[in-house]
Amino acid sequence: AIIKSIRDFLEAHGFVEVETPMMHQIPGGATAKPFRTHHIALGIDLYLRIAPELYLKRLLVGGYERVFELNKNFRNEGISTKHNPEFTMLEFYIAYKDYNFLMSFTEELFSYIANRVLGTLKIPYGGTTIDLTPPWPKIPMFDAMKDKGVPDDVIADPEKAKKWAESKGIEIGKGNSHAKVLDEIFKEIVEPYLVQPTFIIDYPVELSPLAKTRRDNPGLVERFELFIAAMEIVNAFSELNDPIDQKERFLKQVEVKKKGDEEAHWMDEDFVRALEYGMPPAAGEGIGIDRLVMLFTNSQSIRDV
């Protein structure tokens, strides 16, 4: 019922459902560790996709202005009550819109699903009631961290950030950049408190290699994540469509990968070439369907779903 309501909502707004490849020569569209497989006839390694993003954006280049895909992603990472290596993702892209549009569109979508499937915007989850009534708060990432006691100098200084994280027992992976350390701090210190629907907005550019920079602050991007019940359920941003900027971002990610970050993005020359042909200004969003179903069915574990 949830899937059907999503399809009906998007189709009513002029979106076309598509399918894109599940095996990629270059795993892209997200920062995650891929599963590897081997194509015997071609004699090449391929990767199970971590996200359909770069193929869906090629469709924007090709003239499809509103597309969506509901399908599996595969990420070679740990398993928890919120993480499964194989999961269902909705991704959709819309030309000539930005992340501000997507926030109100997401409120509308979630309200539509809740009313249609459950008949109410107030839904039980665990020991609390989640109220999906719009509008939802929008809090910049760094402001949310400061509200939970993260000092200004930790946000500003890479060495202080690492020391502060270690003092709180937060694990920092090998080769992690300052932005990645801040992201780990955010997950530990802020995320558990994001129970009611909350948009966390304006992330550091290093964490978002495919997102457009903010017009007034090139160190941040026009991105939001939606948290409900202390889970990230949505990731969305204004799409980067400048091929020169995109290539430079990929090259920076390659440097981070060389330093030991296995989740860093790969260089994708073919995608850069697609952007050189021209991609319209656009906004894109990914919704973790398994976590969405957890929320609407009051399930505490992704494996139950």
Side-chain angles (χ1 to χ4, degrees):
I2 292 167
I3 295 286
K4 186 173 189 328
S5 62
I6 289 169
R7 282 198 165 104
D8 290 348
F9 181 87
L10 290 173
E11 285 167 1
H13 284 82
F15 284 80
V16 177
E17 184 169 7
V18 299
E19 285 194 4
T20 62
M22 304 284 272
M23 292 196 295
H24 295 176
Q25 281 189 277
I26 296 172
T31 50
K33 194 175 173 184
F35 286 94
R36 185 191 302 234
T37 187
H38 186 73
H39 193 303
I40 295 168
L42 292 178
I44 57 169
D45 282 347
L46 293 169
Y47 300 87
L48 298 184
R49 77 167 176 203
I50 54 176
E53 178 165 342
L54 301 189
Y55 284 88
L56 290 169
K57 290 207 263 201
R58 284 170 171 85
L59 288 170
L60 290 176
V61 172
Y64 293 87
E65 292 183 1
R66 297 185 180 210
V67 292
F68 77 94
E69 180 170 14
L70 268 160
N71 222 323
K72 296 292 182 195
N73 287 348
F74 307 88
R75 297 185 184 176
N76 206 346
E77 57 191 20
I79 296 172
S80 76
T81 53
K82 299 178 188 176
H83 297 86
N84 205 43
E86 171 188 346
F87 61 98
T88 304
M89 178 74 95
L90 162 70
E91 282 203 20
F92 63 86
Y93 292 82
I94 179 167
Y96 312 113
K97 302 289 184 188
D98 68 5
Y99 81 141
N100 293 302
F101 165 84
L102 283 185
M103 282 186 260
S104 55
F105 192 72
T106 303
E107 290 171 340
E108 207 181 320
L109 170 61
F110 275 59
S111 300
Y112 178 85
I113 299 166
N115 279 323
R116 184 152 155 191
V117 176
L118 299 174
T120 177
L121 293 181
K122 293 183 178 174
I123 57 178
Y125 190 78
T128 190
T129 298
I130 304 291
D131 186 353
L132 295 175
T133 308
W136 305 334
K138 303 173 178 69
I139 308 170
M141 180 186 180
F142 293 156
D143 288 357
M145 293 171 76
K146 289 174 192 174
D147 288 346
K148 286 288 175 277
V150 179
D152 283 329
D153 59 354
V154 166
I155 291 170
D157 186 279
E159 285 310 311
K160 286 180 179 172
K162 279 182 187 170
K163 283 176 185 168
W164 196 85
E166 284 162 7
S167 74
K168 300 290 181 187
I170 298 169
E171 275 189 44
I172 303 300
K174 185 184 169 192
N176 273 355
S177 64
H178 183 212
K180 204 81 184 281
V181 172
L182 294 179
D183 191 40
E184 293 301 325
I185 292 171
F186 177 89
K187 285 175 186 171
E188 291 291 327
I189 303 296
V190 181
E191 207 171 295
Y193 297 95
L194 300 175
V195 177
Q196 296 301 326
T198 306
F199 292 116
I200 298 294
I201 64 172
D202 301 342
Y203 282 73
V205 68
E206 284 177 67
L207 292 178
S208 316
L210 298 160
K212 187 171 277 190
T213 51
R214 270 189 51 163
R215 281 152 265 207
D216 58 345
N217 186 343
L220 302 176
V221 291
E222 295 190 354
R223 173 187 173 192
F224 70 82
E225 289 184 308
L226 171 64
F227 291 86
I228 306 177
M231 294 187 290
E232 177 218 332
I233 294 183
V234 174
N235 182 29
F237 38 85
S238 306
E239 301 297 336
L240 180 59
N241 62 338
D242 176 344
I244 296 167
D245 190 354
Q246 184 64 81
K247 187 165 187 174
E248 285 171 2
R249 302 257 201 110
F250 279 160
L251 288 170
K252 282 178 184 168
Q253 287 284 302
V254 169
E255 288 305 311
V256 172
K257 188 178 276 295
K258 283 178 185 171
K259 289 176 183 171
D261 184 352
E262 293 181 291
E263 294 187 350
H265 213 289
W266 295 37
M267 168 57 78
D268 191 333
E269 296 278 5
D270 185 73
F271 177 66
V272 172
R273 186 163 61 249
L275 293 185
E276 287 171 351
Y277 279 99
M279 187 177 92
E285 179 161 323
I287 301 178
I289 297 298
D290 307 69
R291 290 183 185 177
L292 186 69
V293 175
M294 283 173 69
L295 180 68
F296 282 119
T297 58
N298 196 5
S299 302
Q300 308 307 304
S301 169
I302 201 165
R303 292 195 61 186
D304 295 342
V305 168

